[in-house]
């Protein structure tokens, strides 16, 4: 048996023993996920057990180094772990902006002390992070942000407003883009970390079209941020921000089909019913589903190729923008088709049989996929300029 | 297997790319079109294909071939597509060789050396209606003496007129709609009672309508087993469909590159038209679709080479996705070239024509999307 085969067998056995049955069912919606943090209350005992078991092995972040709370696994081992988890439908033990966004940036730009201080609590799900990028006047044009950090020697004093800060009201800490030089547009932004319980931080939830309110307006009123809570250099936060956005875009593109390789038509056929010849009983919808399946499966091939190329150091650095664009547009189509196939059942918003409208709420939520983390239009701009090298601006 | 070309495959690409661009660029297609060549391709070039070793890519080493796979055939086909090279590669070295790989030694010995040498040309005679419906083959093959008599009609036989032999699918049993009872035959071009009418297609390739009026063949002409032709045909179809998908990737990429170049040089309103976001976004969208289609085609080829059970599904995903995408590439290409795109002088229109022919060959995007639905159980 090769080392990898042995690893697979051991992993399979360990998961069999440690993943509770309740954690081997697909999540109903966002609210079903475990986000961790100082104030987190577990939905049930299984959720707690599962997080502790996985965090105990460093497997919430399998490929991070062990000294930072990770599992120290190689790329091949990480892939095997993911495959084995998928095999038993195991849920993600932890949803976390710390893992998918701040972590990679910290590993790349952080100091040794910062890594040792901030990363292990992320891996264990003890500190929940939020992302303070967007401002009312600065969305797509992020570098125009106005939130200002005034240099006071050993600390900054931050004033301003952020918007669309996902889960700001539930997060423990924020990673935040702050202008520290008013003269320089790009080289005048710093990447600061601070506790959401600091004096002067307040949040106000914003309700979404899905009826949920996962994000907030966030206000900073003379917030004191110590100087060692900066990642990267002063005024060079844009580099950190961009690096992080690359990871964010990859994560969001994953919703497109990369992790859901099956056939959507097959999943929906019983909802619609079959005709006498055994085909989905709505030829136009069937055709739409067939085209969607072709596109979604082809997209999984592209995602696989992307991962393979990354590992081999090939591929264009702007490629995540393409994946983000294509993946999110696909995910929107997927949920639109789920709504169509669901017919009037999928219109129920408040009822037990609809699980309080999971389908319409999820459908509405996907509309943000092509906005959050940079809009589809911005992704296309990047592809046009950086990959196709078209002229202008 | 990682989803990109390995070193050997990349080397093959490094030799196929300049070869095709130098020996058979679009100007070559124009030349053969304008001289009204009855075969629609250059026999000299076919010979050069042989010298380069392309012709025998899918033939086994025992038979004098290279014993390579569908990924490698795809590498060559993509370059053929990019340059709109007229050649019998797809029908002969992909379809024909895949069929012969299932045939008895006598047939392999009869045809493979000529194919590998770039002399022999084969064609595939399957379709009997304007749309690809292989399950509905009705052409009859009745036993007669120790051989068979073929009667019926075939159409859209690409390279039919120039082929030295045809791979013909006919019924020795069962009835239209059934997969049992089909048999494949290798029929010589000089067979009596066979009449052929060739027509030039929109992409200037030649395709034949063929009538079989009691064409006699010996039992040696059977490819594979009598009545079990479907199992061979399935392999031929899979290989040729994924091959045509590769060629479409080439056509789509060629059209896209040409268009992106045009956006960088054509000025209107005092600006390069590539500066207009309306065009940038469409070009970037096209790029994403091309990348996705390319990955799907490579995946199908790798699975086919591995003999995976998933290969059949992925071949249809590949043909459907490549078809939809190269269609987008040529439509956007003509549109973004403005009036120039409508002229015969500019090459972009030639891409549109080749794409249309390839899209129809062995099942269009709808046909294959439908198969994906069927194989997925809905
Ligand atoms: C569900 C959700 C969660 C989010 N979570 C967070 C978070 O946690 N933290 C955070 O900081 N931000 C978050 N965001 C904010 C998100 O990053 C921004 O909404 C996004 O960057 C777009 O900015 P905007 O909303 O200001 O839109 P605008 O920039 O005002 O864009 C409006 C429209 O104009 C288009 N547009 C703008 N500029 C161009 C251009 N140059 N070319 C072509 N079209 C253009 C856009 O594509 C869009 O269609 C979240 C957003 C959503 C919807
Ligand atoms: C069959 C045919 C018959 C014709 N007959 C006549 C005739 O009888 N008389 C006559 O005078 N003309 C005629 N024309 C010319 C026709 O009007 C032009 O082809 C047309 O106006 C487009 O100009 P162009 O070809 O120079 O394309 P271009 O202007 O070079 O455009 C190339 C591409 O760039 C796009 N583009 C250009 N500017 C912008 C912009 N600002 N924003 C976004 N996209 C842009 C275009 O939409 C196009 O896709 C004919 C053309 C054809 C094809």
């Amino acid at each position: 048996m090769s080392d990898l085969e042995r690893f697979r067998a051991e992993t399979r056995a360990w998961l069999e023993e440690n993943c509770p049955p309740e954690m081997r069912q697909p999540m109903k919606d966002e609210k079903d996920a475990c986000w961790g943090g100082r104030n987190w209350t577990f939905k049930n005992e299984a959720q707690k057990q599962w997080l502790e078991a996985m965090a105990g092995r460093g497997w919430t972040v399998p490929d991070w180094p062990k000294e930072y709370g990770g599992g120290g696994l190689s790329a091949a081992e990480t892939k095997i772990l993911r495959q084995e988890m998928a095999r038993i439908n195991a849920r993600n033990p932890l949803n976390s902006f710390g893992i998918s966004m701040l972590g990679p940036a910290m590993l790349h730009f952080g100091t040794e002390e910062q890594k040792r201080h901030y990363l292990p609590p992320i891996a264990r799900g003890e500190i929940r992070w939020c992302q303070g990028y967007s401002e009312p006047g600065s969305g797509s044009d992020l570098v125009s942000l106005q939130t200002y950090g005034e240099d006071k020697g050993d600390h900054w004093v931050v004033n301003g407003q952020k918007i669309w800060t996902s889960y700001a009201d539930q997060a423990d800490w924020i990673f935040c883009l702050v202008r520290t030089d008013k003269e320089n547009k790009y080289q005048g932004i710093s990447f600061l970390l601070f506790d959401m319980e600091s004096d002067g931080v307040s949040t106000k939830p914003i309700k979404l079209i899905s009826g949920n309110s996962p994000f907030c307006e966030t206000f900073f009123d003379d917030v004191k941020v110590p100087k060692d809570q900066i990642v990267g250099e002063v005024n060079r936060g844009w580099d950190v921000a961009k690096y992080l956005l690359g990871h964010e875009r990859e994560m969001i593109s994953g919703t497109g089909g990369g992790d859901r390789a099956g056939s959507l038509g097959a999943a929906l056929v019983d909802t619609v019913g079959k005709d006498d010849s055994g085909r989905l009983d709505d030829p136009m919808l069937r055709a739409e589903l067939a085209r969607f399946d072709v596109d979604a499966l082809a997209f999984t091939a592209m995602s696989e190729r992307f991962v393979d190329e990354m590992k081999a150091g090939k591929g264009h650095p702007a490629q995540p923008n393409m994946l983000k664009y294509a993946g999110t547009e696909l995910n929107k189509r997927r949920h639109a088709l789920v709504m169509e196939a669901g017919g009037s059942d999928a219109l129920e918003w408040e009822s037990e049989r609809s699980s309080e409208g999971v389908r319409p709420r999820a459908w509405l939520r996907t509309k943000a996929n092509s906005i959050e983390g940079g809009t589809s239009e911005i992704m296309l701009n990047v592809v046009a300029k950086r990959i196709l090298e078209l002229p202008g601006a | 297997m990682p989803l990109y070309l390995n070193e050997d495959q990349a080397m093959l690409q490094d030799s196929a790319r300049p070869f095709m661009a130098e020996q058979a660029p679009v100007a070559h297609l124009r030349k053969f079109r304008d001289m009204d060549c009855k075969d629609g391709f250059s026999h000299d070039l076919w010979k050069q294909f042989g010298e380069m070793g392309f012709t025998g890519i899918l033939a086994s080493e025992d038979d004098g071939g290279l014993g390579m796979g569908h990924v490698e055939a795809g590498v060559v086909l993509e370059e053929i597509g990019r340059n709109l090279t007229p050649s019998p590669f797809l029908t002969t070295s992909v379809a024909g060789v895949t069929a012969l790989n299932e045939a008895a030694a006598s047939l392999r010995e009869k045809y493979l050396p000529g194919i590998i040498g770039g002399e022999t040309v084969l064609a595939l005679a399957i379709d009997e209606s304007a749309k690809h419906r292989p399950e509905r083959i009705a052409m009859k093959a009745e036993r007669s003496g120790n051989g068979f008599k073929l009667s019926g009609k075939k159409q859209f036989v690409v390279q039919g007129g120039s082929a030295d032999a045809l791979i013909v699918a006919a019924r020795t049993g069962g009835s239209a709609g059934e997969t049992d009872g089909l048999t494949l035959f290798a029929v010589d071009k000089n067979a009596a009672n066979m009449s052929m009418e060739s027509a030039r297609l929109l992409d200037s390739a030649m395709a034949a309508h063929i009538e079989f009026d009691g064409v006699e063949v010996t039992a040696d002409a059977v490819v594979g087993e009598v009545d079990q032709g479907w199992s061979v045909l399935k392999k031929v179809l899979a290989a040729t469909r994924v091959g045509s998908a590769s060629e479409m990737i080439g056509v789509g990429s060629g059209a896209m590159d040409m268009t992106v170049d045009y956006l960088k040089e054509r000025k209107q309103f005092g600006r390069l038209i590539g500066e207009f976001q309306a065009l940038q976004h469409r070009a970037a969208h096209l790029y994403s679709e091309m990348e996705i289609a390319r990955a799907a085609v490579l995946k199908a080829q790798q699975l086919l080479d591995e003999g995976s059970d998933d290969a059949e599904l992925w071949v249809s995903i590949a043909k459907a996705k490549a078809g939809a995408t190269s269609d987008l590439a040529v439509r956007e290409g003509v549109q973004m070239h403005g009036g120039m795109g409508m002229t015969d002088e500019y090459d972009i229109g030639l891409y549109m024509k080749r794409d249309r022919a390839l899209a129809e060959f062995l099942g269009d995007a709808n046909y294959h999307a439908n198969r994906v639905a069927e194989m997925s159980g809905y």
Side-chain angles (χ1 to χ4, degrees):
Chain A
M1 209 191 281
S2 76
D3 286 353
L4 284 181
E5 282 164 6
R6 191 169 312 114
F7 178 78
R8 186 184 291 279
E10 283 165 12
T11 301
R12 187 173 292 189
W14 186 88
L15 287 172
E16 203 47 64
E17 196 168 318
N18 289 280
C19 184
E22 298 93 321
M23 294 293 108
R24 300 187 196 187
Q25 290 148 18
M27 289 195 227
K28 278 213 252 40
D29 61 14
E30 272 189 293
K31 283 184 274 182
D32 234 11
C34 171
W35 287 87
R38 291 197 292 243
N39 303 315
W40 184 252
T41 43
F42 289 97
K43 299 279 176 293
N44 50 44
E45 189 53 29
Q47 201 182 54
K48 182 162 185 269
Q49 255 182 35
W50 180 223
L51 175 60
E52 283 171 359
M54 286 291 276
R57 304 208 108 194
W59 281 5
T60 51
V61 281
D63 55 353
W64 288 10
K66 282 198 169 146
E67 59 269 34
Y68 309 138
L73 301 189
S74 67
E77 288 168 335
T78 305
K79 192 168 176 180
I80 289 175
L81 173 60
R82 301 231 186 280
Q83 285 168 347
E84 289 302 315
M85 285 174 67
R87 204 181 59 85
I88 59 167
N89 273 324
R91 282 184 195 177
N92 228 346
L94 182 62
N95 272 24
S96 155
F97 292 177
I99 290 176
S100 55
M101 299 188 214
L102 178 61
M106 179 81 82
L107 282 166
H108 198 263
F109 292 96
T111 63
E112 186 58 27
E113 289 86 53
Q114 285 176 331
K115 291 181 201 172
R116 287 183 189 271
H117 179 74
Y118 290 106
L119 293 177
I122 289 177
R124 292 192 298 267
E126 290 165 359
I127 295 291
R128 183 170 179 181
W129 288 87
C130 64
Q131 176 188 37
Y133 275 26
S134 305
E135 297 184 7
S138 308
S140 297
D141 184 16
L142 194 53
V143 279
S144 67
L145 62 88
Q146 296 299 321
T147 293
Y148 184 59
E150 196 184 341
D151 194 333
K152 296 280 185 178
D154 65 338
H155 66 274
W156 288 282
V157 170
V158 177
N159 280 286
Q161 184 195 341
K162 295 287 173 183
I163 195 168
W164 319 130
T165 329
S166 296
Y167 307 109
D169 53 342
Q170 296 169 52
D172 305 312
W173 276 62
I174 187 167
F175 50 91
C176 198
L177 291 181
V178 172
R179 184 158 296 290
T180 38
D181 179 348
K182 288 187 177 170
E183 307 304 315
N184 264 311
K185 202 178 173 197
Y186 283 89
Q187 300 200 354
I189 295 171
S190 297
F191 192 96
L192 306 186
L193 314 173
F194 53 90
D195 197 318
M196 291 293 279
E197 279 179 2
S198 312
D199 286 341
V201 179
S202 59
T203 63
K204 198 168 128 212
I206 304 169
K207 196 168 176 177
L208 253 59
I209 51 177
S210 63
N212 300 333
S213 44
F215 59 24
C216 299
E217 289 180 277
T218 310
F219 304 92
F220 307 132
D221 184 13
D222 284 338
V223 181
K224 213 175 137 181
V225 181
K227 278 279 171 80
D228 61 358
Q229 288 176 197
I230 181 176
V231 182
E233 290 168 44
V234 178
N235 292 334
R236 300 306 299 265
W238 187 241
D239 299 339
V240 185
K242 269 198 314 194
Y243 185 86
L244 185 149
L245 274 174
H247 282 270
E248 184 180 4
R249 285 168 188 172
E250 240 175 278
M251 174 194 69
I252 298 173
S253 77
T255 53
D259 54 352
R260 277 182 257 185
S263 153
L264 182 63
L268 295 179
V269 65
D270 293 335
T271 312
V272 185
K274 288 188 177 182
D275 65 14
D276 295 342
S277 65
R279 294 184 163 186
L280 190 139
D281 190 11
D282 178 338
M284 303 297 274
L285 176 61
R286 180 179 180 274
E288 265 191 81
L289 284 165
R291 288 203 190 96
F292 176 83
D293 274 343
V294 166
D295 289 344
L297 288 161
F299 180 79
T300 63
M302 177 59 217
S303 309
E304 188 183 335
R305 184 181 123 191
F306 174 73
V307 172
D308 290 344
E309 284 184 341
M310 289 271 281
K311 272 194 242 154
K314 299 170 184 248
H316 195 286
Q319 198 71 336
N321 297 283
M322 182 284 254
L323 279 151
K324 202 265 175 187
Y325 164 68
T328 55
E329 295 297 335
L330 258 181
N331 201 42
K332 288 198 295 182
R333 238 171 99 198
R334 170 189 297 275
H335 282 264
L337 286 165
V338 168
M339 288 297 287
E340 268 187 66
S344 59
D345 282 348
L347 303 178
E348 287 191 23
W349 187 257
E350 286 170 352
S351 71
E352 209 170 311
R353 61 190 284 273
S354 72
S355 303
E356 301 310 316
V358 263
R359 275 182 288 190
R361 290 174 200 272
W363 166 66
L364 287 162
R365 176 63 182 81
T366 60
K367 301 301 178 193
N369 294 162
S370 50
I371 299 171
E372 58 198 324
T375 65
S376 283
E377 290 74 23
I378 298 299
M379 298 305 114
L380 291 171
N381 286 350
V382 176
V383 170
K385 304 230 161 71
R386 294 204 35 216
I387 300 181
L388 300 179
E389 297 174 346
L390 287 171
Chain B
M1 211 180 297
L3 209 53
Y4 48 79
L5 297 183
N6 68 27
E7 254 175 60
D8 291 342
Q9 291 157 351
M11 262 169 62
L12 176 65
Q13 189 174 53
D14 287 344
S15 75
R17 187 160 287 179
F19 170 81
M20 223 64 78
E22 283 154 25
Q23 302 304 317
V26 183
H28 176 96
L29 167 72
R30 284 184 183 281
K31 190 174 124 201
F32 275 80
R33 178 191 71 171
D34 295 345
M35 70 194 235
D36 205 20
C37 160
K38 74 169 178 24
D39 286 350
F41 72 92
S42 154
H43 288 275
D44 285 343
L45 182 69
W46 187 228
K47 190 107 191 113
Q48 279 178 279
F49 268 54
E51 285 155 16
M52 292 294 289
F54 299 152
T55 45
I57 278 183
L58 287 174
S60 73
E61 286 175 288
D62 287 346
D63 289 329
L66 294 177
M68 291 179 175
H70 297 282
V71 175
E72 286 83 359
V75 164
V76 174
L77 280 158
E78 185 176 330
E79 299 314 314
I80 289 176
R82 197 187 308 281
N83 294 284
L84 305 180
T85 305
S87 93
F89 184 83
L90 187 58
T91 65
T92 305
S93 294
V94 178
V97 169
T98 304
L100 289 172
N101 284 344
E102 304 296 315
S106 57
L107 274 186
R108 298 206 311 277
E109 282 158 17
K110 183 166 176 192
Y111 295 115
L112 280 172
I115 292 174
I116 293 166
E119 277 149 11
T120 302
V121 169
L122 297 191
L124 198 54
I126 295 175
D127 287 331
E128 299 175 6
S129 57
K131 296 305 282 186
H132 176 63
R133 298 286 182 265
E135 303 83 357
R136 295 201 200 149
I137 289 168
M139 178 163 162
K140 282 212 170 66
E142 286 165 317
R143 281 186 191 276
S144 135
N146 78 342
F148 297 84
K149 251 187 186 166
L150 311 183
S151 319
K153 287 182 185 172
K154 294 287 178 186
Q155 73 173 66
F156 196 26
V157 181
V158 181
Q159 311 291 7
S162 52
D164 299 283
L166 305 165
I167 304 293
V168 183
R171 284 205 172 273
T172 38
S175 49
E178 293 174 0
T179 50
D180 277 352
L182 285 172
T183 304
L184 293 195
F185 299 92
V187 180
D188 244 64
K189 71 167 172 198
N190 299 322
N193 302 325
M194 182 164 81
S195 58
M196 205 177 287
E197 197 187 313
S198 275
R200 191 172 297 285
L201 303 181
L202 81 172
D203 65 339
S204 98
M206 299 298 286
H209 291 265
I210 306 180
E211 274 195 50
F212 296 78
D213 189 12
V215 173
E216 293 187 29
V217 294
T218 61
D220 299 347
V222 172
V223 181
E225 308 280 325
V226 175
D227 284 344
Q228 306 298 314
W230 187 250
S231 70
V232 182
L233 187 56
K234 257 174 71 170
K235 289 187 184 167
V236 174
L237 289 176
T240 318
R241 284 164 174 169
V242 87
S244 64
S246 254
E247 192 171 338
M248 283 192 284
I249 294 294
V251 171
S253 304
M256 180 175 83
D257 292 349
M258 186 177 292
T259 305
V260 169
D261 287 347
Y262 192 74
L263 296 181
K264 292 176 187 172
E265 69 196 29
R266 170 76 174 168
K267 274 197 167 164
Q268 289 291 282
F269 302 97
R271 293 159 73 179
L272 293 168
I273 57 174
E275 291 178 48
F276 297 119
Q277 199 175 54
L279 303 188
Q280 287 188 346
H281 280 192
R282 278 157 46 199
H285 171 70
L286 170 59
Y287 166 81
S288 334
E289 292 294 297
M290 281 304 308
E291 288 291 288
I292 293 167
R294 182 189 298 284
V297 172
L298 183 58
K299 175 136 187 128
Q301 289 162 337
Q302 287 186 350
L303 291 171
L304 213 50
D305 285 334
E306 286 166 21
S308 160
D309 291 342
D310 290 337
E312 190 81 359
L313 173 69
W314 277 92
V315 166
S316 277
I317 293 169
K319 182 92 196 320
K321 186 69 193 175
T325 307
S326 66
D327 174 59
L328 179 69
V330 297
R331 278 189 286 119
E332 288 290 40
V334 169
Q335 176 63 23
M336 292 193 201
H337 273 78
M340 285 301 185
M342 292 300 297
T343 62
D344 183 63
E345 186 193 331
Y346 259 65
D347 289 341
I348 190 73
L350 299 174
Y351 281 81
M352 182 170 263
K353 295 176 194 174
R354 171 66 58 85
D355 176 60
R356 187 78 273 285
L358 282 169
E360 210 55 49
F361 189 55
L362 302 186
D364 64 10
N366 286 336
Y367 175 89
H368 287 286
N370 179 55
R371 282 188 93 228
V372 169
E374 275 174 359
M375 286 185 265
S376 307
Y378 65 96

